[in-house]
Amino acid sequence: MEDANSANPNRRKKADSSTDTQDLEITDIQVKKQQQAVVGFLEANRIMFQEVDITIQEDQRLWMYRNIPRDKQPETGNPLPPQIFNQDQYCGDSES
């Protein structure tokens, strides 16, 4: 019998940097909540911003991947949104 989590196509795995044996599972819902938290913070602080949907704009997704510093990229896979930039300067992700 297949585990319900393994059958979910919306699950993504992200390596945990503190241990090689554990994986953190990041779902699309968790990504969306992180995006909403960042947008809420920016709006509450009246910081002007522009959201970019990287699922539609491949050139923007590739730009994002190229412009995240190597030391901030995950050990495996691609960085997950949200990623924050000020013009071309990388500011961080939802955790930083």
Side-chain angles (χ1 to χ4, degrees), residues 71-90:
D71 62 327
K72 301 295 183 182
Q73 295 191 12
E75 292 179 22
T76 59
N78 290 320
L80 295 175
Q83 300 293 326
I84 297 100
F85 292 86
N86 184 358
Q87 302 295 331
D88 292 341
Q89 181 181 357
Y90 180 72

Side-chain angles (χ1 to χ4, degrees), residues 38 64 67-69 72 79-86 89-96:
V38 169
M64 181 189 80
N67 288 284
I68 296 174
K72 301 295 183 182
L80 295 175
Q83 300 293 326
I84 297 100
F85 292 86
N86 184 358
Q89 181 181 357
Y90 180 72
C91 299
D93 60 12
S94 62
E95 293 178 14
S96 58

Side-chain angles (χ1 to χ4, degrees), residues 18-80:
S18 65
T19 170
D20 293 331
T21 59
Q22 288 184 322
D23 284 336
L24 295 176
E25 290 189 358
I26 305 296
T27 65
D28 289 340
I29 293 170
Q30 289 169 315
V31 168
K32 185 66 174 168
K33 285 182 180 182
Q34 291 172 344
Q35 291 170 329
Q36 289 171 339
V38 169
V39 168
F41 174 83
L42 295 170
E43 288 175 343
N45 289 285
R46 298 182 181 175
I47 299 171
M48 292 177 47
F49 64 95
Q50 175 186 359
E51 287 184 82
V52 176
D53 185 348
I54 62 168
T55 62
I56 296 173
Q57 300 173 346
E58 180 156 349
D59 60 326
Q60 292 292 321
R61 181 175 61 246
L62 295 174
W63 182 91
M64 181 189 80
Y65 292 160
R66 285 192 306 267
N67 288 284
I68 296 174
R70 287 185 189 257
D71 62 327
K72 301 295 183 182
Q73 295 191 12
E75 292 179 22
T76 59
N78 290 320
L80 295 175

